[in-house]
Amino acid sequence: MAEHTIYEIEAQLNDFKPTIRRRFIINGERSLAYLGYTLMAMFEMSGSHLFEFNDTVTILKDYSKKITFAIPTPNDSGPLASEIYNVFTNKIKTSLRDKDDTLNFVYDYGDAWEISLTVVNVEKKDISLQKIPFVSNGDGFGIIENIGGTHGLEDYAQAMKAGKGEAFDMYHNWLGDNLPDMDHFDLDELNSYLKNEVGFLKQQYENANWA
């Protein structure tokens, strides 16, 4: 085995209660895009939308600016283009360097899902890359695609808690019999499919023609 820079990261879905979160380890030498695929796989995202990372960088004592890492497209022009960086070529360790560093992940500009990332630990470690990414713990199911963001997810959770009524019937007609349980979290199940799902998402995004 070789030595790699390993990040332990806490990821939490913003603006939703009860908490939906994952704690995981990942190779810091991977691209930010790979981190995005990992987050999508962990939070039940199908990879059918664009995504980006946002960071706030302090320039002077009283001045900071937002930096975005995204999939480059022909629309990336104009005065803000210099502050949009390629998510495929920038690495995790260039944006998250130390313990307590933070980053914000945004998926699907319509539903606007946001996940806050916080570095728990960074260490050099001899480890097989076949074993990571790996989730150590978490809470909650994840998102439901195209439901209307966190507000829609809250409406869904309330309908499932009621177990009947017009809203419940609507979700049942849309999603079928396998209605997601928002409290469900199975660590072994998630880790068993995580690596393959990340690979699938990587191929899906990196083989696409974004031009």
Side-chain angles (χ1 to χ4, degrees):
M1 291 187 293
E3 186 176 76
H4 300 280
T5 304
I6 303 302
Y7 281 70
E8 183 179 11
I9 297 174
E10 180 80 10
Q12 180 172 321
L13 180 66
N14 291 357
D15 303 320
F16 186 81
K17 296 293 183 183
T19 300
I20 298 177
R21 53 171 284 275
R22 308 286 186 258
R23 181 168 291 197
F24 64 101
I25 58 172
I26 193 169
N27 179 10
E29 294 141 23
R30 290 285 196 176
S31 68
L32 283 172
Y34 190 89
L35 175 58
Y37 313 144
T38 303
L39 292 167
M40 282 185 261
M42 291 190 298
F43 284 86
E44 302 292 334
M45 298 171 176
S46 66
S48 55
H49 300 279
L50 291 171
F51 66 90
E52 68 184 35
F53 290 90
N54 295 312
D55 194 9
T56 300
V57 178
T58 300
I59 306 301
L60 299 171
K61 181 180 179 181
D62 298 318
Y63 174 71
S64 60
K65 71 175 182 177
K66 173 183 169 183
I67 292 180
T68 297
F69 299 88
I71 296 172
T73 71
N75 295 326
D76 296 336
S77 59
L80 297 179
S82 62
E83 296 174 13
I84 299 176
Y85 297 88
N86 192 325
V87 75
F88 296 127
T89 57
N90 283 275
K91 295 183 178 181
I92 295 170
K93 65 182 182 180
T94 62
S95 296
L96 295 170
R97 296 181 178 85
D98 302 308
K99 181 180 177 182
D100 297 325
D101 278 359
T102 61
L103 200 60
N104 195 57
F105 175 70
V106 179
Y107 170 79
D108 181 358
Y109 298 145
D111 280 6
W113 303 101
E114 293 190 20
I115 295 175
S116 295
L117 310 179
T118 304
V119 176
V120 177
N121 189 42
V122 184
E123 63 177 330
K124 293 283 188 180
K125 190 174 182 179
D126 282 326
I127 189 171
S128 169
L129 295 183
Q130 296 300 315
K131 296 181 178 180
I132 55 176
F134 178 83
V135 183
S136 59
N137 60 69
D139 295 291
F141 172 76
I143 75 156
I144 298 175
E145 293 274 3
N146 305 315
I147 202 169
T150 53
H151 293 301
L153 201 61
E154 288 171 354
D155 292 342
Y156 171 84
Q158 290 176 7
M160 293 305 103
K161 187 175 182 180
K164 59 182 179 179
E166 185 177 342
F168 180 87
D169 292 340
M170 177 189 72
Y171 289 119
H172 187 274
N173 289 336
W174 175 34
L175 298 169
D177 292 332
N178 296 319
L179 294 169
D181 176 359
M182 295 309 300
D183 295 325
H184 177 77
F185 176 77
D186 188 314
L187 184 61
D188 292 336
E189 181 182 278
L190 178 56
N191 278 312
S192 69
Y193 99 107
L194 181 59
K195 186 99 177 179
N196 286 339
E197 181 67 10
V198 170
F200 170 78
L201 290 166
K202 182 178 187 297
Q203 186 177 46
Q204 182 171 298
Y205 277 91
E206 297 185 15
N207 288 347
N209 180 9
W210 297 105

